[in-house]
Amino acid sequence: MAQVDTSQFKGGLKIILDGDPFEIVENEFVKPGKGQAFSRVKLRNLRTNRVVERTFKSGESVELADVHETTMQYLFYDGEFYHFMDPNNFEQVQASPGSVGESAKWLKGQDRCEVTLWEGSPLQIEAPSFVDLAVTQTDPGVRGDTSSGGSKPATLETGAVVRVPLFIEEGEVLRIDTRKGEYVTRANN
Amino acid sequence: MGLPADDWRPSAARLTLEKRGQLLADLREFMGERGVLEIDTPVIASGVIPERDLQNLSTVTGDYLVSSPEASLKRALAAGLNDVYSLGHVFRSDEAGRWHSPEFCILEWYRRGLDLEAIIGETSVLLSQILGKPVAAPRTFVDVFTKIVGLDPFSANTSSLAHAAHDLGVAPDASTDSNDRAMWIDCLMSLVVQPVLGAEQPVCVTHFPIGDGSLVAPAKDKRTALRFEIYYHGVELANGAEELTDPDLAKRRMRFHTLGTTVPSSAIDQKLLSAMQHGVPACAGVALGVDRLLALQLGHHKISSVMPFAWKRR
């Protein structure tokens, strides 16, 4: 795998440290008035999302991480892993609940997701920004009830619970903004 | 055709460029008032002054872009000029960051007959005029380092320095050269000590380890050099010294600093050595980073926003 030295460090560069893939968040070049230069680097571990700070001597080389993003189709959850398929070559990958994270509650079969792959296995799954999901359970809205701010909880087909307007009924399909976890509108089809 | 990219624009705002012009005028006025003569030194030289961990840029003619105007100014002194300065651009390869640029603006001046204390005094007057804050009384490197790190940089053994760097979370990832004492001191100095220096007002640190500067006079204690640095908000602004006048010691040190670098010993500036053999007078000199000074004067957090055309817009 290709190497980069500290002079090529910049935000967004993905490298391998201690066997894990990291993304450079911030790189600061430091050097005393006379003497050795260093790079003080903030990095995000792409597996754990934890941010760490590390020092490199100027000129030191590290291995580039083979990390790239691709659009994949969500297939199903088998109770242990989430399965995705590359629509171009029909290759399948499985992702752990850890890498799917919060996206899990929005995933429905056939949805296209942004999958971050490291050496072919998924590191992170990003659900589509907007998904259309059916309401499986919600109480009938009580007219004139303003104590709840004109909204009520609704459980969606994926199990996610969102707040919806009082007029929404079971069986309706709603458009959801997954980044905010909010109801947007009724889906028109 | 689409819209043109806008990376042709200056990287500094118009008001900043006006302040920059004023700062350059103020620096020239300060020097002029003291009878220091401006020499517009060349940026291309046939030789270099090898310094520890400093990379020169070379030209297709086999020459070098100067990393400081030191050699030209000292040649002028040896030729009989009294006090001289240069205000212009210098070049250092591989140095790029918030406070570094491979090309930057430097004010460097030499005063005949001044000692370390006197040149610190003059530099402090200049900086306090520009920054509007007095420079704190000088403290020695050993005092400052010991107070902040908790170890004496001269007497602590190398493995204690390494441990301190590890404990403080600043040790380089591949610390294979764990017996490289100078590296550990640089690491602790630039990542632990320097960031906390000068939070309130500029501070002056003196008497750095003797191995640091090729052309700095040694102190009587034989372990420190008659060198100082001034820091403000964790940034090194000025670097000065009582100058070495001994050509043989200068030659030995410069040769030593070419070892393990790509600079051949034949690249050592022979004309500077000839000038020193002829006789560079006892003098003190200072190099001041003008981009950093302007950034700190205006409250910026990087030099690119005060440079007319920063490195990334070259």
Side-chain angles (χ1 to χ4, degrees):
Chain A
M1 192 67 203
Q3 302 258 319
V4 283
D5 73 48
T6 57
S7 70
Q8 293 157 288
F9 279 11
K10 60 175 181 185
L13 190 75
K14 296 174 181 79
I15 61 173
I16 294 182
L17 286 180
D18 309 330
D20 265 2
F22 283 82
E23 180 176 34
I24 293 182
V25 179
E26 217 176 272
N27 173 40
E28 176 111 23
F29 176 87
V30 288
K31 188 178 193 297
K34 308 242 182 219
Q36 163 87 54
F38 302 91
S39 278
R40 185 70 173 157
V41 189
K42 244 187 215 150
L43 304 130
R44 191 164 57 86
N45 185 321
L46 292 172
R47 286 200 319 110
T48 64
N49 253 334
R50 209 166 289 153
V51 174
V52 296
E53 274 196 85
R54 301 288 270 269
T55 306
F56 296 85
K57 285 199 284 179
S58 248
E60 219 174 88
S61 289
V62 293
E63 202 178 319
L64 273 175
D66 173 22
V67 172
H68 65 276
E69 278 184 26
T70 184
T71 304
M72 295 186 108
Q73 196 172 49
Y74 171 60
L75 299 175
F76 61 92
Y77 175 56
D78 66 9
E80 191 178 0
F81 290 105
Y82 293 81
H83 294 260
F84 296 84
M85 182 181 74
D86 185 329
N88 297 311
N89 56 19
F90 306 106
E91 275 180 29
Q92 293 188 21
V93 296
Q94 55 179 35
S96 66
S99 58
V100 179
E102 286 287 289
S103 294
K105 65 182 181 191
W106 309 118
L107 290 182
K108 197 176 72 168
Q110 314 300 311
D111 274 349
R112 288 178 171 236
C113 303
E114 282 305 306
V115 179
T116 306
L117 292 170
W118 174 45
E119 290 173 357
S121 37
L123 277 176
Q124 262 174 1
I125 311 293
E126 206 177 312
S129 301
F130 296 96
V131 290
D132 293 345
L133 297 171
V135 177
T136 52
Q137 194 281 320
T138 189
D139 294 334
V142 179
R143 211 177 290 273
D145 175 11
T146 53
S147 64
S148 55
S151 70
K152 59 178 183 175
T155 306
L156 306 174
E157 58 184 304
T158 57
V161 178
V162 293
R163 293 205 71 83
V164 299
L166 299 176
F167 56 77
I168 297 296
E169 294 170 12
E170 281 181 13
E172 284 192 279
V173 178
L174 310 181
R175 177 146 301 171
I176 307 295
D177 181 338
T178 62
R179 293 161 300 185
K180 296 180 185 159
E182 283 174 8
Y183 161 87
V184 183
T185 179
R186 282 170 165 151
N188 292 327
N189 42 18
Chain B
M1 268 179 53
L3 287 169
D6 74 347
D7 58 0
W8 56 269
R9 288 181 182 280
S11 32
R14 185 197 180 115
L15 188 64
T16 308
L17 289 176
E18 287 169 10
K19 302 247 188 201
R20 185 177 177 104
Q22 187 57 52
L23 176 64
L24 296 178
D26 291 346
L27 294 173
R28 288 195 161 98
E29 189 184 337
F30 185 92
M31 291 295 145
E33 280 168 355
R34 284 159 181 77
V36 185
L37 178 69
E38 176 163 10
I39 309 275
D40 56 323
T41 52
V43 295
I44 295 181
S46 60
V48 300
I49 301 174
E51 296 272 10
R52 188 161 71 87
D53 295 304
L54 196 151
Q55 296 293 327
N56 283 86
L57 279 162
S58 50
T59 69
V60 289
T61 54
D63 297 300
Y64 297 93
L65 294 174
V66 295
S67 60
S68 97
E70 181 169 7
S72 298
L73 292 174
K74 285 185 171 171
R75 284 163 63 186
L77 290 174
L81 281 113
N82 262 330
D83 299 304
V84 289
Y85 79 93
S86 166
L87 179 55
H89 285 205
V90 295
F91 306 85
R92 296 177 187 185
S93 184
D94 302 336
E95 298 189 10
R98 269 199 314 140
W99 296 104
H100 292 81
S101 168
E103 175 174 359
F104 64 100
C105 183
I106 202 171
L107 169 69
E108 188 154 326
W109 76 99
Y110 290 88
R111 303 295 307 270
R112 190 182 282 251
L114 258 57
D115 63 6
L116 183 65
E117 193 186 337
I119 197 73
I120 288 173
E122 182 165 88
T123 310
S124 300
V125 170
L126 172 61
L127 290 178
S128 60
Q129 273 183 19
I130 289 162
L131 297 168
K133 293 254 184 173
V135 178
R139 293 165 63 198
T140 61
F141 169 72
V142 61
D143 281 354
V144 172
F145 191 101
T146 307
K147 181 145 190 236
I148 296 172
V149 178
L151 288 171
D152 181 318
F154 293 104
S155 63
N157 57 39
T158 304
S159 63
S160 319
L161 293 167
H163 274 131
H166 279 286
D167 290 348
L168 292 162
V170 297
D173 249 40
S175 317
T176 44
D177 312 321
S178 59
N179 57 354
D180 182 351
R181 186 179 181 83
M183 189 279 288
W184 289 118
I185 289 182
D186 287 342
C187 172
L188 289 162
M189 185 63 194
S190 43
L191 293 165
V192 177
V193 179
Q194 192 178 318
V196 300
L197 293 180
E200 305 291 327
Q201 66 183 115
V203 300
C204 177
V205 179
T206 68
H207 295 82
F208 287 84
I210 195 163
D212 276 356
S214 289
L215 299 176
V216 179
K220 285 201 181 70
D221 64 12
K222 299 226 163 77
R223 67 176 196 182
T224 62
L226 296 175
R227 190 165 81 76
F228 74 95
E229 293 188 9
I230 294 181
Y231 306 88
Y232 191 37
H233 293 304
V235 177
E236 178 225 343
L237 269 181
N239 194 323
E242 227 174 286
E243 301 299 320
L244 180 71
T245 53
D246 176 352
D248 298 325
L249 181 53
K251 193 172 176 178
R252 284 203 300 278
R253 284 186 178 174
M254 289 196 279
R255 283 205 164 175
F256 176 75
H257 286 309
T258 61
L259 298 175
T261 72
T262 53
V263 179
S265 61
S266 60
I268 291 172
D269 195 322
Q270 285 305 318
K271 295 188 180 71
L272 172 63
L273 284 173
S274 300
M276 291 183 78
Q277 275 152 11
H278 177 80
V280 168
C283 63
V286 184
L288 188 154
V290 176
D291 310 293
R292 290 180 183 176
L293 179 61
L294 180 62
L296 293 177
Q297 184 193 31
L298 302 181
H300 289 225
H301 300 285
K302 56 183 179 189
I303 53 173
S304 60
S305 62
V306 301
M307 298 175 90
F309 297 96
W311 180 246
K312 282 189 176 160
R313 298 244 170 134
R314 68 190 184 278

